[in-house]
Structures are given as C-alpha cells and as structure tokens.
Coordinates of all heavy atoms in Angstrom, one line a residue:
L27 N -14.7 16.9 -5.2 CA -15.8 16.0 -5.4 C -16.7 15.8 -4.2 O -17.7 15.0 -4.3 CB -15.3 14.6 -5.9 CG -14.4 14.6 -7.2 CD1 -13.8 13.3 -7.4 CD2 -15.3 15.0 -8.3
E28 N -16.5 16.5 -3.2 CA -17.2 16.5 -1.9 C -17.2 15.1 -1.3 O -18.1 14.6 -0.7 CB -18.6 17.0 -2.1 CG -18.7 18.4 -2.6 CD -20.1 19.0 -2.7 OE1 -21.1 18.3 -2.2 OE2 -20.2 20.0 -3.3
E29 N -16.1 14.4 -1.5 CA -15.8 13.1 -0.8 C -14.9 13.5 0.4 O -13.7 13.3 0.4 CB -15.0 12.2 -1.8 CG -15.8 11.7 -3.0 CD -16.9 10.8 -2.6 OE1 -16.8 10.1 -1.5 OE2 -17.9 10.7 -3.3
F30 N -15.6 14.0 1.4 CA -14.9 14.6 2.6 C -14.1 13.6 3.4 O -13.0 13.9 3.8 CB -15.9 15.3 3.5 CG -16.6 16.4 2.7 CD1 -18.0 16.4 2.7 CD2 -16.0 17.4 2.1 CE1 -18.7 17.4 2.0 CE2 -16.6 18.4 1.4 CZ -18.0 18.4 1.4
R31 N -14.6 12.4 3.5 CA -13.8 11.4 4.3 C -12.6 11.0 3.6 O -11.5 10.9 4.2 CB -14.7 10.1 4.5 CG -14.0 9.1 5.3 CD -14.9 8.0 5.7 NE -14.2 7.0 6.5 CZ -14.5 5.8 6.6 NH1 -15.6 5.3 6.0 NH2 -13.8 4.9 7.3
L32 N -12.6 10.8 2.2 CA -11.4 10.5 1.5 C -10.5 11.7 1.5 O -9.2 11.5 1.6 CB -11.8 10.1 0.0 CG -10.6 9.9 -0.9 CD1 -9.8 8.7 -0.4 CD2 -11.1 9.6 -2.3
A33 N -11.0 12.9 1.4 CA -10.1 14.1 1.5 C -9.4 14.1 2.8 O -8.1 14.3 2.9 CB -10.9 15.3 1.3
E34 N -10.1 13.9 3.9 CA -9.5 13.9 5.2 C -8.4 12.8 5.3 O -7.3 13.1 5.9 CB -10.5 13.7 6.3 CG -10.0 13.7 7.7 CD -11.2 13.6 8.7 OE1 -12.1 12.8 8.5 OE2 -11.1 14.3 9.7
E35 N -8.7 11.6 4.8 CA -7.7 10.5 4.9 C -6.5 10.8 4.1 O -5.4 10.5 4.5 CB -8.4 9.2 4.4 CG -9.4 8.7 5.4 CD -10.2 7.5 4.9 OE1 -10.0 7.1 3.7 OE2 -11.1 7.0 5.6
A36 N -6.7 11.4 2.9 CA -5.6 11.7 2.0 C -4.7 12.8 2.6 O -3.4 12.6 2.6 CB -6.1 12.1 0.6
Y37 N -5.3 13.8 3.1 CA -4.4 14.9 3.8 C -3.7 14.3 5.0 O -2.5 14.6 5.2 CB -5.3 16.1 4.2 CG -5.5 17.0 3.0 CD1 -6.7 17.1 2.3 CD2 -4.5 17.8 2.5 CE1 -6.9 17.9 1.3 CE2 -4.7 18.7 1.5 CZ -5.9 18.7 0.8 OH -6.1 19.6 -0.2
A38 N -4.4 13.5 5.8 CA -3.7 12.9 6.9 C -2.5 12.0 6.5 O -1.5 12.0 7.1 CB -4.7 12.0 7.7
A39 N -2.7 11.2 5.4 CA -1.7 10.4 4.9 C -0.5 11.2 4.4 O 0.7 10.9 4.6 CB -2.2 9.5 3.7
G40 N -0.8 12.4 3.8 CA 0.3 13.2 3.3 C 1.1 13.8 4.5 O 2.3 13.8 4.5
L41 N 0.4 14.2 5.6 CA 1.1 14.7 6.8 C 1.9 13.6 7.4 O 3.0 13.8 7.9 CB 0.1 15.2 7.8 CG -0.6 16.5 7.4 CD1 -1.7 16.8 8.3 CD2 0.4 17.6 7.3
T42 N 1.4 12.3 7.4 CA 2.1 11.2 8.0 C 3.4 11.0 7.2 O 4.5 10.7 7.8 CB 1.2 9.9 8.0 OG1 0.1 10.2 8.8 CG2 2.0 8.7 8.4
L43 N 3.3 11.0 5.9 CA 4.5 10.8 5.0 C 5.6 11.9 5.3 O 6.7 11.6 5.5 CB 4.2 10.9 3.6 CG 3.5 9.6 3.0 CD1 2.9 9.9 1.6 CD2 4.4 8.4 3.0
L44 N 5.1 13.1 5.4 CA 6.1 14.2 5.7 C 6.7 14.0 7.1 O 7.9 14.2 7.3 CB 5.4 15.6 5.7 CG 5.0 16.1 4.4 CD1 4.2 17.4 4.5 CD2 6.2 16.3 3.5
D45 N 5.9 13.6 8.1 CA 6.4 13.4 9.4 C 7.3 12.2 9.5 O 8.4 12.2 10.1 CB 5.3 13.3 10.4 CG 5.7 13.2 11.8 OD1 6.5 14.1 12.2 OD2 5.3 12.3 12.5
R46 N 6.9 11.1 9.0 CA 7.6 9.8 9.2 C 8.9 9.8 8.5 O 9.9 9.3 8.9 CB 6.7 8.6 8.7 CG 7.4 7.3 8.9 CD 6.5 6.2 8.4 NE 5.3 6.1 9.2 CZ 4.2 5.6 8.8 NH1 4.1 5.0 7.7 NH2 3.1 5.6 9.6
Y47 N 9.0 10.4 7.3 CA 10.2 10.3 6.5 C 10.9 11.7 6.4 O 11.7 11.9 5.5 CB 9.9 9.8 5.1 CG 9.3 8.4 5.1 CD1 7.9 8.2 4.9 CD2 10.1 7.3 5.4 CE1 7.4 6.9 5.0 CE2 9.6 6.0 5.5 CZ 8.2 5.9 5.3 OH 7.7 4.6 5.4
D48 N 10.6 12.6 7.3 CA 11.2 13.9 7.3 C 11.2 14.5 5.9 O 12.2 14.9 5.3 CB 12.6 13.8 7.8 CG 13.2 15.2 8.2 OD1 12.4 16.0 8.5 OD2 14.4 15.3 8.1
G49 N 10.0 14.6 5.4 CA 9.8 15.0 4.0 C 10.0 16.5 3.8 O 10.4 17.3 4.7
N50 N 9.8 16.9 2.6 CA 10.1 18.3 2.1 C 9.0 19.2 2.6 O 7.8 19.1 2.1 CB 10.1 18.3 0.6 CG 10.4 19.6 0.0 OD1 10.4 20.6 0.6 ND2 10.8 19.6 -1.3
D51 N 9.3 20.1 3.5 CA 8.3 21.0 4.1 C 7.6 21.9 3.0 O 6.5 22.4 3.2 CB 8.9 21.8 5.2 CG 9.1 21.0 6.5 OD1 8.5 19.9 6.6 OD2 10.0 21.4 7.3
A52 N 8.3 22.1 1.9 CA 7.7 23.0 0.9 C 6.4 22.4 0.3 O 5.5 23.1 -0.1 CB 8.7 23.2 -0.3
Q53 N 6.4 21.0 0.4 CA 5.1 20.4 -0.1 C 4.0 20.7 0.8 O 2.8 20.9 0.3 CB 5.4 18.9 -0.1 CG 6.3 18.4 -1.2 CD 6.4 17.0 -1.2 OE1 6.6 16.3 -0.2 NE2 6.4 16.4 -2.4
L54 N 4.2 20.9 2.0 CA 3.1 21.3 2.9 C 2.6 22.7 2.6 O 1.4 22.9 2.5 CB 3.6 21.2 4.4 CG 2.5 21.5 5.5 CD1 1.3 20.6 5.4 CD2 3.2 21.4 6.8
G55 N 3.5 23.6 2.3 CA 3.1 24.9 1.9 C 2.3 24.9 0.6 O 1.3 25.6 0.4
R56 N 2.8 24.1 -0.4 CA 2.0 24.0 -1.6 C 0.6 23.4 -1.4 O -0.3 23.9 -2.0 CB 2.8 23.2 -2.6 CG 3.9 23.9 -3.3 CD 4.5 23.2 -4.5 NE 5.0 21.9 -4.2 CZ 6.3 21.7 -3.8 NH1 7.1 22.7 -3.7 NH2 6.7 20.4 -3.5
A57 N 0.6 22.4 -0.6 CA -0.7 21.8 -0.3 C -1.7 22.8 0.3 O -2.9 22.8 -0.1 CB -0.6 20.5 0.6
R58 N -1.2 23.6 1.2 CA -2.0 24.6 1.9 C -2.4 25.6 0.9 O -3.6 26.0 0.8 CB -1.2 25.2 3.0 CG -2.0 26.1 3.9 CD -1.1 26.6 5.1 NE -1.9 26.9 6.2 CZ -2.9 27.8 6.2 NH1 -3.4 28.3 5.1 NH2 -3.6 28.0 7.3

C-alpha cells in the first residue's frame, strides 16, 4: 500500500518479537 513507515515499524516489531522471545527462525525466512 506504499505505507512505508508502517511497513518499517511492522517489520521491526516482528524482529523484536523473534529476538525477545527466541522465536521461530523459520518465520524470518518466510518473511524474507
């Protein structure tokens, strides 16, 4: 939707969740 700020914030939040809670690294691969 070209909402770049929201996109950046959402991806950063996803990375934070993975890092903070030792999340499933496969999700990072899927996101990529």
Side-chain angles (χ1 to χ4, degrees):
L27 297 172
E28 298 184 15
E29 293 290 336
F30 301 124
R31 183 171 179 202
L32 178 58
E34 183 177 41
E35 290 171 357
Y37 278 105
L41 290 172
T42 298
L43 286 168
L44 287 176
D45 186 52
R46 184 178 297 158
Y47 299 106
D48 195 27
N50 182 348
D51 287 337
Q53 289 181 315
L54 182 57
R56 279 193 300 273
R58 191 176 205 305

